[in-house]
Amino acid sequence: MVGVSVLGISGSVGTSTVKVLRQFPDQFDLRSFSVHSNWNVAKALVEEFSPEVICITDPKLVGKFGDSYLSTKILYGDKALIDLVQLPSVGVVVTAVVGARGVLPTIAAIEAGKKIAIANKETLVTFGPLINRLVAKHNTVMVPVDSEHNALFQLIQRETRSNIRAITLTASGGSFRTLPLEALEHVSVKQALNHPTWSMGPKITVDSAGLINKGLEVIEAHFLFGFSYDEIEVVIHPQSITHGIIETTDGACLLYASHPDMVYPIAHSLFYPNPTPQMLIERKPSTWNTFEFFPPDTKRYPGLLLAYQAGKAGGAAPGIFNAANEEAVALFLEEKISFTTIPRLIESALNQIENVFPETLDGYLEKDQETRNYIQREFNQGGVTT
Ligand code: NDP
Ligand code: MG
């Protein structure tokens, strides 16, 4: 029986993780979890799983639900996420909160010797070199939950590294793949949230519509697998059945394909290094029909090029890319800026904010904050956003 902690259990990845836990009650025991604001989900999960401790991170809710519910202790505030992951009974931590704020509990989990099932890509993008140093120091087992990276992780393990020429991440193309380019400026939040193949949280769904999610994933892949940016490619694959491809030196391509449902990578990351037992949800290849692959159109998806630019620059630049995007997407979701302003704001941040090569967590956090302040200033002054 492996003890599990899920940070952000009320979100899309969190909900899929609960599905896996329900399917394998003899293998996994939910010992702790966090929600930000969603008390109803927290309450129901406490009743179902009886964890030792849970955390409610929204500062507006501090103390609101008392110190305990049934036999479960309730903690408040994001600092308490560290207590959740450090529990002796926890063996694996699923990081499914959204945004670079996931860094502190991720570091705490690494230092406490836990296995990490990492969904929270913003942490890896912003703090990649730091996380990698800690992972090496503590011999951490870190398994990517992001579907493309989980697919690549599995493919790379089956191949000799020197035989791999390049890796490819697939992208569905998001909500606006076939929309006329001139209409992009005027798309609504509702349209952006209507993803054709994946059901995900709002931030990543907007990220996907502009292929900025794929840009974050290119950087995530660089830090996870150590390939150079010239060896990481992106292909549009509208069906979202193939998730990752490795090209071998002999000219072959090995594809990882599965029905687009996060339960597969989540289950793999929880069971790893053991194989996942047969899943209840099965989709046969005979139901998949067509596989299409196209190169991404960089006019439609300028954010993807910006991600490569930030990744290649290194240092704090990926974090500047990420923080600018987090702020811009939040403004778009609040209907304060247009969809096409998102990459414009990111580009402006990358051009205007000085890149540095931080040695410490604080160094990265300072650039993250400087970028967020910059985007808010740009918005308030109506610069790039008008
Ligand atoms: P959601 O928006 O669905 O869920 C986010 C979770 O984080 C919720 O539990 C939410 O709590 C919590 N949360 C929100 N704000 C805060 C905060 N300020 N502090 C602490 N917790 C907070 O996101 P997803 O599940 O879609 O994505 C989570 C992460 O996984 C992201 O990094 C994303 O890029 C990555 N990912 C997601 C995939 C997917 O299929 N969704 C696929 C691959 C990666 P509450 O609901 O209670 O407010
Ligand atoms: Mg993904």
Side-chain angles (χ1 to χ4, degrees):
M1 192 69 125
V2 177
V4 181
S5 178
V6 183
L7 307 180
I9 205 163
S10 44
S12 163
V13 171
T15 304
S16 296
T17 306
V18 172
K19 278 191 205 159
V20 177
L21 299 181
R22 284 196 184 114
Q23 197 171 328
F24 299 105
D26 298 333
Q27 281 91 344
F28 301 110
D29 184 14
L30 182 63
R31 303 311 301 150
S32 64
F33 67 75
S34 79
V35 299
H36 190 59
S37 54
N38 210 323
W39 169 248
N40 286 339
V41 168
K43 188 166 168 280
L45 291 174
V46 166
E47 288 161 9
E48 181 177 355
F49 290 97
S50 307
E52 281 170 58
V53 49
I54 66 165
C55 173
I56 297 170
T57 44
D58 188 342
K60 292 194 289 295
L61 298 177
V62 174
K64 184 150 184 221
F65 307 102
D67 293 341
S68 62
Y69 178 63
L70 302 177
S71 56
T72 298
K73 195 165 154 190
I74 304 178
L75 303 175
Y76 295 91
D78 51 11
K79 291 209 171 53
L81 293 177
I82 291 171
D83 299 308
L84 297 192
V85 304
Q86 285 175 337
L87 282 185
S89 59
V90 165
V92 55
V93 176
V94 182
T95 64
V97 293
V98 58
R101 62 177 71 86
V103 67
L104 293 180
T106 304
I107 289 177
I110 294 171
E111 287 175 341
K114 311 298 184 187
K115 184 174 96 175
I116 317 285
I118 187 157
N120 179 228
K121 67 188 77 176
E122 296 91 347
T123 288
L124 216 44
V125 168
T126 306
F127 307 96
L130 186 81
I131 297 288
N132 275 348
R133 273 205 299 278
L134 288 170
V135 162
K137 182 173 166 196
H138 295 275
N139 266 326
T140 309
V141 178
M142 189 162 73
V143 190
V145 168
D146 209 341
S147 54
E148 299 78 0
H149 305 74
N150 185 269
L152 288 166
F153 181 88
Q154 296 194 48
L155 288 171
I156 289 167
Q157 282 205 322
R158 290 173 165 92
E159 190 52 74
T160 310
R161 174 66 177 85
S162 58
N163 290 348
I164 305 176
R165 199 191 64 71
I167 60 175
T168 298
L169 304 160
T170 61
S172 69
S175 320
F176 305 130
R177 184 175 64 84
T178 55
L179 194 79
L181 271 185
E182 54 284 4
L184 272 182
E185 184 74 42
H186 306 291
V187 294
S188 68
V189 170
K190 193 166 165 223
Q191 284 173 293
L193 291 180
N194 187 20
H195 195 281
T197 48
W198 289 100
S199 162
M200 308 182 287
K203 192 249 171 193
I204 184 175
T205 307
V206 174
D207 288 347
S208 298
L211 243 62
I212 284 176
N213 179 51
K214 213 49 54 184
L216 292 168
E217 292 187 354
V218 166
I219 301 171
E220 185 186 8
H222 170 77
F223 288 128
L224 280 169
F225 307 124
F227 285 85
S228 76
Y229 287 97
D230 292 332
E231 297 167 319
I232 305 174
E233 293 169 20
V234 169
V235 69
I236 303 282
H237 168 54
Q239 292 76 22
S240 299
I241 302 279
T242 300
H243 306 296
I245 303 169
I246 60 176
E247 285 176 52
T248 52
T249 44
D250 61 3
C253 286
L254 308 182
L255 279 62
Y256 177 104
S258 68
H259 183 72
D261 189 324
M262 287 303 291
V263 296
Y264 296 105
I266 291 168
H268 170 267
S269 68
L270 289 175
F271 277 101
Y272 182 86
N274 300 312
T276 307
Q278 188 169 354
M279 303 276 290
L280 292 180
I281 310 160
E282 265 195 273
R283 302 285 156 92
K284 296 282 181 202
S286 52
T287 64
W288 290 346
N289 301 318
T290 321
F291 274 18
E292 294 171 293
F293 298 104
F294 313 109
D297 168 357
T298 48
K299 279 209 192 70
R300 182 177 296 277
Y301 304 115
L304 181 61
L305 291 184
L306 294 172
Y308 272 98
Q309 181 193 318
K312 286 180 180 173
I320 295 171
F321 175 88
N322 176 69
N325 179 56
E326 281 192 32
E327 294 300 309
V329 171
L331 289 168
F332 172 71
L333 286 170
E334 290 165 20
E335 301 184 331
K336 291 179 174 163
I337 62 171
S338 70
F339 180 71
T340 46
T341 302
I342 298 172
R344 284 208 290 273
L345 279 171
I346 298 173
E347 184 171 20
S348 168
L350 285 171
N351 289 338
Q352 296 303 319
I353 298 176
E354 188 198 351
N355 190 19
V356 290
F357 288 76
E359 288 292 322
T360 62
L361 175 64
D362 284 346
Y364 284 101
L365 289 170
E366 272 166 31
K367 274 291 155 184
D368 175 272
Q369 194 55 53
E370 182 184 341
T371 307
R372 290 171 197 275
N373 295 345
Y374 174 82
I375 298 294
Q376 291 305 329
R377 250 191 344 265
E378 281 295 292
F379 170 67
N380 290 331
Q381 292 167 1
V384 174
T385 57
T386 51

